[in-house]
Amino acid sequence: MKRTTKVSLGIVALLLIAAGVAGGIRYNRRGIVTVQTGTVVRQDLTSVVTSSGEVKPRNYINIGAEFAGQLTEILVKEGDHVAKGQLLARIDETQSAADVQMQTAALRSAEADAAASEAGYTAGNDNINALQSTLDRTKADLERYEEDFKRAQQLFQQGLIARQDFEQRKAAYQGQQAAVAEANSRLVQSARNWLN
């Protein structure tokens, strides 16, 4: 073998050995972390954190009014702490006061109508009671006139009274029948009017 070939083979062998050693070292160091070191110094630590987001309160309270109208005064500012029942704003009372007066007037009118209806009911009831009393009295009188007429009829048939007396009692009986019919008619008409 020639000398140059031997040298070339020696160099190649040396290179392969060097590459194997370098690969072995790298393989052994694969889990090692490089660390920086420094001297300990006393100082304040500051850290700045920036973020974006929304600030939300613990409790959300919806505020509303029982009446609509124009605000005349706002008694709190945005962000103020308020307590339950605290007055927050004032609303113009003009329309509300007018509505109250209108409702009060309507109530008084309805009360007056009710009183008038009650008075009408009472008057109608009293009128019907009076007409019923008149009818009862005329019926009682009719019974008396009927008995008188029947007695006169028997006496006239027996020839014990004059025709004129008999005719008078008959006319009184028939007149009383007409009076009962008229009283009954008035009572019925008044009851119909009262119910309508």
Side-chain angles (χ1 to χ4, degrees), residues 155-190:
L155 291 174
F156 178 68
Q157 288 173 353
Q158 292 173 1
L160 297 175
I161 60 168
R163 183 181 246 340
Q164 183 179 2
D165 286 340
F166 172 70
E167 293 295 330
Q168 283 178 345
R169 291 179 185 173
K170 182 179 177 183
Y173 172 62
Q174 290 173 342
Q176 195 60 32
Q177 284 179 323
V180 168
E182 182 180 346
N184 191 38
S185 174
R186 282 184 181 175
L187 177 63
V188 168
Q189 185 61 36
S190 181

Side-chain angles (χ1 to χ4, degrees), residues 76-134:
V76 293
K77 294 183 302 249
E78 185 176 336
D80 285 354
H81 290 280
V82 294
K84 183 177 181 178
Q86 179 180 344
L87 185 62
L88 303 177
R90 293 186 196 280
I91 297 176
D92 183 20
E93 297 176 357
T94 307
Q95 183 62 41
S96 297
D99 290 344
V100 168
Q101 288 176 349
M102 183 180 68
Q103 294 298 327
T104 302
L107 176 63
R108 288 185 183 141
S109 175
E111 286 173 344
D113 289 346
S117 295
E118 188 175 338
Y121 172 81
T122 303
N125 196 26
D126 290 346
N127 185 34
I128 288 177
N129 288 339
L131 289 173
Q132 183 65 48
S133 296
T134 301

Side-chain angles (χ1 to χ4, degrees), residues 32-52:
I32 297 176
V33 177
T34 58
V35 178
Q36 290 182 346
T37 61
T39 57
V40 176
V41 179
R42 176 172 248 169
Q43 66 183 26
D44 291 334
L45 294 177
T46 59
S47 108
V48 177
V49 177
T50 60
S51 69
S52 63

